[in-house]
Structures are given as C-alpha cells and as structure tokens.
C-alpha cells in the first residue's frame, strides 16, 4: 500500500491486482538491512549505532573518507533511497556526491554478469543523480585488490576526482 493507496488497490481489475502483487507486494528490492533505529541504550554514541548499520566494505570506505578528511554522512535518504555514504563538499570542488559500495552478496546490484547492473540499481543511481548528487559506485572486487590504507586513499581520491557514474 505504499505505492498505491488501499482504496486504489481494492478497485483494481483482477489482472492488474495480480500484476501489482507480483511486482510490488512485500518485495525486498534493494537492501535487506532494516532501517537505522534510534539508540535505546542510554549513552550509546550515534556513530557506534551507524557503524553497525554499515557493511564491512562501507565501514572501510567511510574510514578512508575520514582519512582523506572528507566530511560525509552515513545512512542518509536521497530521493527516497537509502544511501550509505554521501558527502556535501567532497574534494575537487564538487557540490555533493553519493558513494555506493556495490556488494553483490548484500544487495541485488548486478544481473548474471558482473559488468551489467540491474535496472533497479541503475534507476536508483538516476534518481540520486537527479537530486543533484554525483554518483560514485565502488566495487568490492576492486577494493579487495587494494592492500594498504595508502592504496585505498589514492584510489578513492582518483575516483572522486573523476566523472562518476554516467
């Protein structure tokens, strides 16, 4: 009922209702993680709670952004999509960017071939880009080849200096 109101759903033709249920009802399309919750524990640092919401790959990228002195947000919402890492003033004079850590084991990022993103992932990138963010996808396979903190910093600096996703 989030895509259409319950009154609209009740008035649907049976074929349209079947189509709606097939595509829209209870479908985990993107990220299986639950939304970030407010901490229940008194005195718990917000950064600790957010750190637990990020995957290990996202945590490493966040640490590298911090090493590069890039002020960034963890787990923000842009255009209705949850974006784990975004920066409003990244290096290179850009206005704002969204960094997506593509991990096929966590999200539905690719089709059967690792070079072709799903339509959902491409649409997500388009929506975020239409909200004025430059989109930078990072692949976990490339990240794993970077052995040292300096290698990761250099790579991330080069990525953020580039054009981003087109």
């Amino acid at each position: 009922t989030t895509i259409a109101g319950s009154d609209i759903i009740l008035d649907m033709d049976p074929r349209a209702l079947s189509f709606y249920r097939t595509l829209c009802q209870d479908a985990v399309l993107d990220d299986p993680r639950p939304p970030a919750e407010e901490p229940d524990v008194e005195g718990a640092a917000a950064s600790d709670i957010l750190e637990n919401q990020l995957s290990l790959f996202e945590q490493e990228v966040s640490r590298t952004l911090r090493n590069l002195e890039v002020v960034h947000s963890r787990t923000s919402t842009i255009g209705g999509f949850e974006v784990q890492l975004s920066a409003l003033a990244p290096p290179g004079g850009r206005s704002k960017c969204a960094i997506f850590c593509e991990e096929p084991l966590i999200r539905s990022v690719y089709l059967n071939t690792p070079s072709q993103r799903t339509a959902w992932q491409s649409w997500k990138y388009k929506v975020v880009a239409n909200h004025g963010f430059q989109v930078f996808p990072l692949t976990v396979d490339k990240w794993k080849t970077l052995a040292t903190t300096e290698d990761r910093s250099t790579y991330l600096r080069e990525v953020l200096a580039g054009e981003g996703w087109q």
Side-chain angles (χ1 to χ4, degrees):
T1 60
T2 58
I3 293 178
S6 58
D7 54 333
I8 293 172
I9 293 170
L10 292 174
D11 291 338
M12 282 183 166
D13 173 82
R15 289 175 294 180
L17 183 60
S18 174
F19 180 75
Y20 168 78
R21 286 186 177 143
T22 301
L23 288 182
C24 304
Q25 195 169 32
D26 297 329
V28 178
L29 294 175
D30 186 31
D31 196 337
R33 294 179 283 196
E37 296 178 10
E38 293 297 319
D40 287 340
V41 181
E42 191 172 316
S47 61
D48 293 339
I49 303 297
L50 287 175
E51 197 74 21
N52 292 334
Q53 290 291 320
L54 299 178
S55 70
L56 293 176
F57 178 29
E58 291 163 342
Q59 290 175 30
E60 288 179 9
V61 172
S62 179
R63 278 192 292 277
T64 305
L65 287 169
R66 203 173 16 230
N67 290 343
L68 293 172
E69 298 182 358
V70 175
V71 178
H72 61 284
S73 298
R74 295 180 285 182
T75 314
S76 58
T77 303
I78 302 170
F81 290 105
E82 190 172 281
V83 177
Q84 266 54 48
L85 302 170
S86 60
L88 294 178
R94 303 192 189 291
S95 58
K96 47 191 177 173
C97 70
I99 301 164
F100 289 89
C101 297
E102 295 183 343
E103 297 175 86
L105 296 178
I106 292 180
R107 286 177 203 84
S108 300
V109 176
Y110 301 109
L111 295 172
N112 291 335
T113 57
S115 61
Q116 186 177 0
R117 290 182 179 92
T118 62
W120 175 256
Q121 194 72 14
S122 295
W123 182 56
K124 182 177 180 177
Y125 291 174
K126 285 179 186 177
V127 169
V128 172
N130 285 339
H131 277 80
F133 283 78
Q134 202 161 12
V135 175
F136 294 98
L138 303 176
T139 62
V140 71
D141 292 335
K142 172 64 178 171
W143 193 261
K144 286 179 180 179
T145 65
L146 306 169
T148 66
T149 302
E150 186 58 39
D151 291 342
R152 291 178 179 153
S153 295
T154 301
Y155 171 70
L156 198 50
R157 193 178 298 115
E158 289 171 359
V159 167
L160 293 176
E163 292 299 312
W165 174 82
Q166 301 294 327

